[in-house]
């Protein structure tokens, strides 16, 4: 068994170096005993194709006839899971929540009796003038990803609306300050209320929310959700405002406001 392990360890090392994100430790054991393999993965569980990882492990064990009874996989966020060859392990729950279902796009309602006046949301005085608003790097990166998804299905790119950018940042900061994650804000009401209170006219409107530590993770979560994906690929929408604010339990808060 030790002689086998001396041949197996370099093979495993080459294999995981090729995919660029693994290190491993093999704990040798007597010939009659089982072998434990420990893998340290430099990404979080949601960022790696786990089926591919398990197939690599099973292939090495089969090719070298290694009597391995378990494989311990350690992820970058500190979580770990135990894999028994030939079975599918269940990873530990992750702290990043699934994005909340978003309101379906709604047409502009027909005129109706004037409602009672309601307090206008108090915008950040430093960003009350859209002439001083410009998109930051994360916001521009997310806009580029959104328009790439639309281009793949033959839809025109969404135009950045800086007034919607300002509102999206206010909503993201409000969720961080008040500790909630919802389309209905205790400060601004629904996204439709918020957009109308800013004097923006529209026929269709929608909102996407996400909490994540990076633009890529947030974008992938939205595209993997049927309702959020529908907003991104909605042909009725022509403009978007994306707000990305650092903070909150997920690292960054993302708000996308669509109108058409």
């Amino acid at each position: 068994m030790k002689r086998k392990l001396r041949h197996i360890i370099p093979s495993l090392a080459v294999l995981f170096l090729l995919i660029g994100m693994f290190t491993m430790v093999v704990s040798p054991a007597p010939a009659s005993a089982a072998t434990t393999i420990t893998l340290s993965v430099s990404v979080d569980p949601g960022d790696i194709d786990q089926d591919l990882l398990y197939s690599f492990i099973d292939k090495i064990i089969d090719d070298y006839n290694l009597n391995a009874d378990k494989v311990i996989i350690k992820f970058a966020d500190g979580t770990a899971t135990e894999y028994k060859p030939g079975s599918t392990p269940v990873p530990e729950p992750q702290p990043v929540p699934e994005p909340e279902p978003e309101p379906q796009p709604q047409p502009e309602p027909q005129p109706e009796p004037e409602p009672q006046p309601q307090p206008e949301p108090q915008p950040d005085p430093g960003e009350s003038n859209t002439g001083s608003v410009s998109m930051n790097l994360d916001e521009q990166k997310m806009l580029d990803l959104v328009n790439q998804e639309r281009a793949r299905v033959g839809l025109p790119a969404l135009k950045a609306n800086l007034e919607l950018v300002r509102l999206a940042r206010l909503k993201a900061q409000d969720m961080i300050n008040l500790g909630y994650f919802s389309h209905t804000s205790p400060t601004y009401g629904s996204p439709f209320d918020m957009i109308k209170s800013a004097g923006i006219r529209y026929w269709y409107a929608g909102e996407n929310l996400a909490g994540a530590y990076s633009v890529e993770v947030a974008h992938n979560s939205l595209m993997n959700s049927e309702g959020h994906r529908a907003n991104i690929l909605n042909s009725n929408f022509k403009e978007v405002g994306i707000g990305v604010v650092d903070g909150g339990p997920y690292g960054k808060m993302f708000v996308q406001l669509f109108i058409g």
Side-chain angles (χ1 to χ4, degrees), residues 4 8 11 15 55-66:
K4 284 186 178 182
I8 293 170
S11 298
L15 175 63
S55 68
F56 282 157
I57 296 171
D58 289 336
K59 186 175 187 307
I60 291 299
I61 291 173
D62 290 342
D63 288 349
Y64 290 91
N65 197 25
L66 181 62

Side-chain angles (χ1 to χ4, degrees), residues 86-211:
S87 67
T88 302
V90 179
E92 296 182 5
Q94 299 303 305
V96 178
E98 286 294 324
E100 181 179 311
E102 75 299 317
Q104 293 300 311
Q106 300 179 4
E108 176 74 10
Q110 295 300 313
E112 55 184 52
E114 183 81 10
Q116 292 298 318
Q118 296 183 357
E120 291 271 335
Q122 296 301 314
D124 185 341
E127 295 189 343
S128 60
N129 182 354
T130 56
S132 65
V133 177
S134 61
M135 298 180 70
N136 62 37
L137 292 177
D138 282 344
E139 291 162 350
Q140 184 62 55
K141 188 174 186 179
M142 177 164 272
L143 176 61
D144 292 341
L145 291 174
V146 165
N147 282 332
Q148 287 171 19
E149 299 290 354
R150 291 174 67 87
R152 288 191 183 100
V153 295
L155 292 173
L158 294 175
K159 178 183 176 182
N161 183 314
L162 294 182
E163 180 62 7
L164 288 178
V165 170
R166 184 179 71 86
L167 296 180
R169 289 177 182 170
L170 289 175
K171 176 66 176 289
Q173 190 64 60
D174 192 54
M175 288 193 291
I176 293 171
N177 291 345
L178 301 184
Y180 70 92
F181 188 82
S182 172
H183 292 289
T184 302
S185 162
T187 306
Y188 304 110
S190 73
F192 312 110
D193 295 333
M194 189 179 190
I195 294 172
K196 285 194 290 186
S197 69
I200 299 174
R201 301 186 57 146
Y202 64 90
W203 287 102
Y204 300 91
E207 179 184 65
N208 282 348
L209 305 177

